[in-house]
Amino acid sequence: MGIESSCDETAASVLEVSRGKIEVLSNVVSSQIKIHKKYGGVVPEVAARCHAEVIFDVLKKALSDADKIYNFPLCKRGIKGDFKNPPQPSFSKGGGLQIEDIDLIAATEGPGLVTSLRVGVLAAQTVAALIKKPLVGVNHVEAHVLSPFLSNQKIKFPALGLIVSGGHTELVLIKNIGKYQLVGSTRDDAVGEAFDKVAKMLGLGYPGGPAIAKAASQCKSQIPNPKSETNSKFEIQNSKFSLPRPMINSNDFDFSFAGLKTAALYLIKKLSPGELKKLTPAIAAEFQKAAVEVLVSKTKKAAEKYKVKNILAGGGVIANKELREALTKLDCPVFLPELKYTGDNAAMIAFAGHQKYLREKKNEVFDIVANPNLSL
Ligand code: KG4
Ligand code: ZN
């Protein structure tokens, strides 16, 4: 069972791993988005209280959702079998699981908001001690980058991992699961943070990523009319509203999104409310294009330099359609998580935790500490 509470989503998931095949039996995510929306961002104290209120209900739901027909050997007439003590299914369709059926617990220990992390860690420690099963702490960023594994994809190493979320923008060389080398990261804002801030400037609300993507898609649907001075697409094509692609040509694999965000701010400030309304789709599209171009260009260069066999990507921003499409066009095979595993979820925590336990065989039930600054 995986437990996730690093930011504003309380999540629990039950994973079954049998002969290397992964099956997500349940994936429960209780989001606080509606609560934080009115503040325009996550309020840590509010987030922690919400986690505490729902965490045990989320765990219970992850157990009851974990419906599966147990496949025990049938004792058919004429076939030898132990008829007196037939194997009993430990759970059956409709019954869900009992907490005692869980073999291993994995909880996010960092990075994230410390007060939020503590709720998940404490709940995990309590349950693990109660059922006397091992507990492992999981790095949230590692879990994001490994999320494509949840779809049973055959991924080859060395691979390059791109993590794009609200708190992180990183490129990591993955020598194997558990062996990472950071090759680039953001020097200021994370890409998701930039999406959120630009969306706020445009009055599109929180979370900004899906809002920017939606507004940008409206720009695309406009028919370009080269004769119209006010047509946003035409103006973008004529670079009237071009935004910078920060660090796109730098000789490293670092990113910077603060400059892009500020350039968007200066552009927005110049517009009257009427112009802003009209040009919001165009600005959203240009911002999204700039962010995607930088991410894809750096990923391509890093993949070539480190001669990786595959590229993996994870994190909330990988839900972005333009980014997904651009990455899949790269020469190197790219593995992306299914949309339900892009944002914060506990299935990815369960997978990363299981892998860690296979490697280290260590029960951390009394050692795990919520660490807001945990790095890979
Ligand atoms: O991974 P995640 O759920 O939480 C963190 O670990 O930070 O990522 C959340 C981020 C937010 O900044 C959100 O705006 C962004 O992912 N996001 C998107 C999209 N969906 C979510 N960004 C761009 N396009 C999207 N479709
Ligand atoms: Zn995340």
Side-chain angles (χ1 to χ4, degrees):
M1 172 179 262
I3 300 174
E4 155 65 32
S5 70
S6 64
C7 189
D8 59 345
E9 255 105 30
T10 324
S13 166
V14 179
L15 211 71
E16 190 180 54
V17 188
S18 145
R19 291 193 201 97
K21 192 169 174 289
I22 296 146
E23 203 178 331
V24 180
L25 299 185
S26 63
N27 182 36
V28 179
V29 181
S30 167
S31 177
Q32 304 169 7
I33 280 182
K34 278 192 192 146
I35 295 160
H36 298 291
K37 219 178 180 125
K38 53 180 178 282
Y39 307 109
V42 179
V43 184
E45 164 62 23
V46 177
R49 254 187 283 151
C50 293
H51 285 305
E53 272 166 31
V54 303
I55 191 135
F56 283 107
D57 285 339
V58 168
L59 298 191
K60 273 197 274 176
K61 179 135 178 54
L63 290 169
S64 64
D65 277 6
D67 263 347
K68 203 174 169 255
I69 300 168
Y70 183 81
N71 220 354
F72 59 91
L74 287 172
C75 296
K76 282 188 194 154
R77 211 183 287 250
I79 299 174
K80 278 192 180 169
D82 185 356
F83 287 90
K84 275 193 192 142
N85 300 299
Q88 291 301 311
S90 59
F91 50 98
S92 57
K93 191 145 181 67
L97 283 183
Q98 298 300 311
I99 189 71
E100 292 78 14
D101 296 321
I102 299 296
D103 297 317
L104 171 69
I105 297 179
T108 307
E109 57 180 341
L113 302 169
V114 71
T115 43
S116 287
L117 288 164
R118 275 187 189 142
V119 178
V121 165
L122 259 176
Q125 287 175 309
T126 309
V127 172
L130 189 75
I131 62 169
K132 299 188 175 61
K133 296 285 170 63
L135 169 66
V136 286
V138 171
N139 182 312
H140 181 88
V141 174
E142 178 189 13
H144 267 309
V145 82
L146 298 180
S147 59
F149 278 95
L150 289 169
S151 319
N152 288 297
Q153 318 222 50
K154 286 260 171 290
I155 296 163
K156 290 185 195 147
F157 298 107
L160 182 74
L162 170 70
I163 300 121
V164 278
S165 71
H168 293 84
T169 310
E170 283 171 11
L171 279 168
V172 282
L173 177 63
I174 312 173
K175 293 167 191 164
N176 214 326
I177 294 183
K179 279 196 148 191
Y180 309 101
Q181 181 193 327
L182 186 69
V183 297
S185 60
T186 182
R187 296 195 181 170
D188 38 57
D189 290 358
V191 62
E193 193 181 348
F195 266 92
D196 292 338
K197 287 179 178 163
V198 171
K200 202 171 179 179
M201 293 171 200
L202 291 168
L204 296 173
Y206 171 86
I212 293 261
K214 191 169 170 224
S217 71
Q218 284 155 7
C219 172
K220 264 191 172 169
S221 64
Q222 287 176 9
I223 301 155
N225 175 5
K227 284 183 192 146
S228 160
E229 268 297 295
T230 53
N231 184 287
S232 53
K233 187 143 190 181
F234 174 63
E235 290 187 354
I236 276 197
Q237 281 164 1
N238 282 280
S239 304
K240 274 196 187 171
F241 288 105
S242 74
L243 291 170
R245 272 69 174 151
M247 296 184 72
I248 198 161
N249 294 318
S250 69
N251 281 332
D252 51 30
F253 302 111
D254 283 347
F255 301 92
S256 165
F257 290 100
L260 175 58
K261 174 194 72 186
T262 310
L265 177 67
Y266 287 146
L267 169 63
I268 291 164
K269 274 191 169 172
K270 274 194 229 152
L271 302 172
S272 69
E275 284 171 323
L276 178 61
K277 195 165 177 242
K278 202 183 286 174
L279 294 176
T280 289
I283 298 168
E286 171 65 356
F287 167 79
Q288 178 175 258
K289 200 161 175 267
V292 168
E293 276 179 28
V294 176
L295 291 168
V296 175
S297 155
K298 293 265 163 152
T299 304
K300 182 175 185 285
K301 274 192 236 168
E304 283 163 5
K305 168 154 186 208
Y306 291 98
K307 298 187 175 55
V308 295
K309 294 193 174 122
N310 289 166
I311 296 169
L312 309 189
V317 182
I318 208 70
N320 188 281
K321 198 167 158 265
E322 305 295 320
L323 178 59
R324 291 176 84 89
E325 283 176 10
L327 282 172
T328 23
K329 281 185 194 142
L330 292 177
D331 287 338
C332 184
V334 177
F335 294 90
L336 304 175
E338 289 173 55
L339 285 180
K340 61 186 168 197
Y341 305 129
T342 55
D344 288 346
N345 67 88
M348 66 179 193
I349 304 298
F351 176 79
H354 179 239
Q355 289 294 318
K356 183 178 171 188
Y357 189 71
L358 291 178
R359 284 195 309 273
E360 299 178 8
K361 292 272 181 315
K362 198 172 138 221
N363 181 6
E364 301 176 319
V365 64
F366 295 122
D367 304 329
I368 173 173
V369 178
N371 180 356
N373 302 315
L374 190 68
S375 58
L376 266 184

